[in-house]
Amino acid sequence: MRKYEIMVIIDPDVDERQVPALIERHLKTITNGKGTVDSQDVWGKRRMAYEINKKPEGIYAVLNVTAPADAVKEMDRLMSIDEQIMRTKVMRTDKK
């Protein structure tokens, strides 16, 4: 099990009240894969450095999880398929 930090940019057209449910739906992949969710931090709507899909802003969220690599890989794959999520970045935070 390794620690990961996952940065997610959600489409700004999604209502901010629906964001926690959207994130929770994807985090079930981690908990089903015997991982744990250490923290969730939703930053809210922010202006981006460059447009993604012709949208100048997005809803940012940072997730810290401890999980096996295959569970994180599957969650990243499912997030890339989801049309409400514009970008994801997965970083491993533990040291070798």
Side-chain angles (χ1 to χ4, degrees):
M1 299 265 248
R2 301 202 169 185
K3 293 186 179 291
Y4 294 91
E5 181 177 270
I6 304 161
M7 178 71 134
V8 182
I9 303 176
I10 300 167
D11 193 319
D13 296 336
V14 174
D15 187 13
E16 290 198 35
R17 293 175 294 200
Q18 296 174 341
V19 170
L22 173 68
I23 292 170
E24 199 61 41
R25 186 172 73 221
H26 287 290
L27 285 175
K28 283 186 181 176
T29 307
I30 297 293
T31 55
N32 291 343
K34 297 184 176 54
T36 60
V37 178
D38 302 330
S39 68
Q40 300 179 45
D41 189 15
V42 178
W43 293 0
K45 199 176 283 190
R46 300 277 173 104
R47 188 159 200 64
M48 295 185 284
Y50 57 91
E51 291 185 358
I52 300 174
N53 300 336
K54 299 183 180 177
K55 297 184 180 178
E57 51 187 27
I59 301 169
Y60 283 70
V62 178
L63 313 170
N64 290 304
V65 299
T66 304
D70 57 341
V72 175
K73 194 177 214 179
E74 178 65 11
M75 186 180 88
D76 189 37
R77 185 187 74 80
L78 292 173
M79 284 183 162
S80 67
I81 293 171
D82 193 337
E83 292 181 3
Q84 293 179 317
I85 296 178
M86 298 191 319
R87 285 278 195 283
T88 60
K89 178 72 175 178
V90 178
M91 294 166 283
R92 205 171 84 201
T93 57
D94 61 349
K95 307 219 182 209
K96 287 188 176 181

